[in-house]
Amino acid sequence: MRVYSILLFFGLCLALGACNNENVNERPQQKYDIPAIDQLSQLIAKSPQDASLYADRSRAFWEAELYKEAELDAEKALALDSTKVEYYAVLADAYFDNQHSLSAIKVLEKAIDRFPQAVPLYLKLAEMQNIVKQYQEGMLILDKLEKIQPSQPDALYLRGNMLRDMGDTAQAMESFQATVEQDADYLDAYMQLAILGDKINAPYTVSYIDNALRIDSTYEDALLLKAQYYHFRSQFEEAEATYKQGILRQPMSPNLNYNLALMYLELGDSAAKQTEKAQDFFTKALRHFDNATKFDPQFADAYYYKAIAAERLGKKEIALKEYENALNMEVLLKTVDPATVEAAMARLRS
């Protein structure tokens, strides 16, 4: 009932141009102990007919994840002034994040009818439709936007996201490529090209990652992706150098430390017959697993593999402690079955 009542209310607002201010969002002013919100509430008390104040407070509520309140203020802003295109976007965001996606989409569709040249409305609508898997509808919106503003980079990127989510990797990559041709500094498009290219072993995958790092040399996802590119292809020297470079740029990254440690553990197991070399790899693995848990104390899988590295080094007490740490946060284990941890602990205690 809530969704349909919202749509009915909003439809009436659009039909009449504005709603009766006295029937919308009338509630006692209250303190939220959030400075931005409370300050806006004071201003609203002095200027209750200022639509921009309600729009601003709606955004503040939205940022505080108070979505019901954000909805009410956005509705009030539109009731006071339905000529501001940005107020429709504010209301759509509030509806969408309060799980009223149908209402959000309807708001944007009506807004586009009223403001057919407002590019941000098309982009926001297409993004929401992609999230709720209305791919065909989203594609139609992007087609309409293409007629208004051809080769708009954000639209090309959104089209690539939709094609990717629909399983059309080749077309998605073409759209992401078109994005960076229009905007050579579109970091997210380079990352999507790298991720998809990595999956299909496409040429120039590393160059896509390097372009992302050209834009932001400390971007952790790109640093990790490049190291893993070499790691997963058994190019261990390149992988080690890239992991270390990444850690220099992001020294407190649990993920970079964890993945480098996994590689050292793998290399240690492969060099088992060369005891001194294997021990060196296990020692390095233990150090970087320790860094991973230091920088993220809830990294359950890192505790498990840290225990394995310690066990390989003959440090049974440390290994048992780390297995216990992993088991104590078993709900956070992502790649390890708790039964596997229990079996390891039983083995050490026997």
Side-chain angles (χ1 to χ4, degrees):
M1 291 298 294
R2 170 60 178 158
V3 168
Y4 294 108
S5 64
I6 288 171
L7 292 178
L8 177 59
F9 161 82
F10 191 69
L12 289 173
C13 284
L14 291 177
L16 298 175
C19 291
N20 186 336
N21 297 338
E22 296 180 356
N23 294 327
V24 184
N25 197 31
E26 292 298 338
R27 64 186 191 278
Q29 296 293 339
Q30 65 181 83
K31 291 194 66 175
Y32 288 85
D33 293 324
I34 301 173
I37 293 173
D38 291 338
Q39 183 177 8
L40 283 165
S41 295
Q42 292 175 10
L43 294 173
I44 287 170
K46 296 177 182 178
S47 304
Q49 301 302 308
D50 188 338
S52 67
L53 293 175
Y54 290 97
D56 288 344
R57 194 172 65 173
S58 176
R59 294 187 190 96
F61 278 131
W62 180 81
E63 290 175 359
E65 299 183 1
L66 297 169
Y67 300 126
K68 174 64 176 179
E69 289 82 353
E71 283 185 1
L72 291 171
D73 270 3
E75 288 170 353
K76 179 71 172 182
L78 270 173
L80 290 167
D81 185 354
S82 62
T83 67
K84 296 292 193 298
V85 64
E86 61 268 27
Y87 295 173
Y88 294 84
V90 171
L91 180 57
D93 282 336
Y95 280 162
F96 195 82
D97 286 328
N98 203 27
Q99 300 184 29
H100 297 150
S101 58
L102 177 61
S103 296
I105 288 170
K106 292 296 184 184
V107 165
L108 291 173
E109 288 174 341
K110 291 179 181 295
I112 286 172
D113 286 341
R114 184 165 186 177
F115 307 98
Q117 301 298 314
V119 170
L121 294 177
Y122 291 86
L123 294 172
K124 186 175 290 290
L125 176 55
E127 184 177 12
M128 288 183 179
Q129 287 172 322
N130 186 43
I131 293 171
V132 299
K133 300 182 179 181
Q134 293 183 1
Y135 302 125
Q136 296 304 325
E137 294 87 341
M139 288 291 188
L140 289 173
I141 289 298
L142 292 177
D143 288 342
K144 290 180 180 179
L145 178 54
E146 177 70 15
K147 295 176 182 177
I148 298 169
Q149 193 173 108
S151 300
Q152 208 278 348
D154 291 329
L156 291 168
Y157 179 75
L158 279 170
R159 188 181 296 277
N161 280 338
M162 288 187 192
L163 290 164
R164 178 203 61 206
D165 293 346
M166 293 167 67
D168 193 338
T169 299
Q171 290 293 318
M173 290 190 71
E174 285 187 16
S175 192
F176 291 131
Q177 183 62 48
T179 305
V180 298
E181 288 171 1
Q182 295 299 317
D183 181 354
D185 291 330
Y186 207 120
L187 187 150
D188 288 341
Y190 284 118
M191 284 299 293
Q192 288 302 318
L193 283 165
I195 291 167
L196 294 177
D198 186 32
K199 289 180 179 178
I200 63 174
N201 206 26
Y204 311 121
T205 296
V206 172
S207 70
Y208 292 136
I209 304 173
D210 285 340
N211 267 300
L213 291 171
R214 169 182 60 80
I215 299 163
D216 182 355
S217 64
T218 65
Y219 189 32
E220 184 177 348
D221 289 350
L223 294 167
L224 181 59
L225 184 61
K226 185 174 182 179
Q228 288 180 324
Y229 176 88
Y230 294 123
H231 181 177
F232 296 158
R233 287 164 177 78
S234 299
Q235 297 174 241
F236 297 119
E237 289 185 8
E238 294 89 341
E240 181 181 32
T242 308
Y243 277 127
K244 287 182 175 179
Q245 183 183 54
I247 290 170
L248 282 173
R249 294 178 180 177
Q250 289 285 358
M252 298 181 67
S253 165
N255 289 321
L256 285 165
N257 277 281
Y258 173 75
N259 280 273
L260 175 56
L262 284 177
M263 189 182 79
Y264 282 139
L265 191 60
E266 177 185 348
L267 291 171
D269 285 339
S270 298
K273 293 181 181 179
Q274 304 174 43
T275 305
E276 186 175 341
K277 188 174 183 180
Q279 293 293 298
D280 181 55
F281 281 133
F282 293 139
T283 299
K284 291 177 179 177
L286 182 61
R287 182 171 71 250
H288 285 285
F289 282 131
D290 192 56
N291 285 340
T293 57
K294 182 193 304 180
F295 301 139
D296 181 2
Q298 303 299 309
F299 203 155
D301 289 48
Y303 286 107
Y304 171 75
Y305 287 107
K306 179 162 56 164
I308 290 179
E311 192 174 355
R312 296 283 198 275
L313 291 166
K315 300 180 178 182
K316 292 188 176 181
E317 290 186 5
I318 294 175
L320 185 58
K321 176 185 175 183
E322 301 304 342
Y323 282 132
E324 288 175 344
N325 284 333
L327 196 60
N328 286 339
M329 54 184 74
E330 63 178 276
V331 295
L332 299 176
L333 288 169
K334 295 180 179 178
T335 65
V336 183
D337 188 328
T340 303
V341 185
E342 291 174 348
M345 293 171 65
R347 183 181 64 248
L348 281 179
R349 287 170 172 159
S350 62

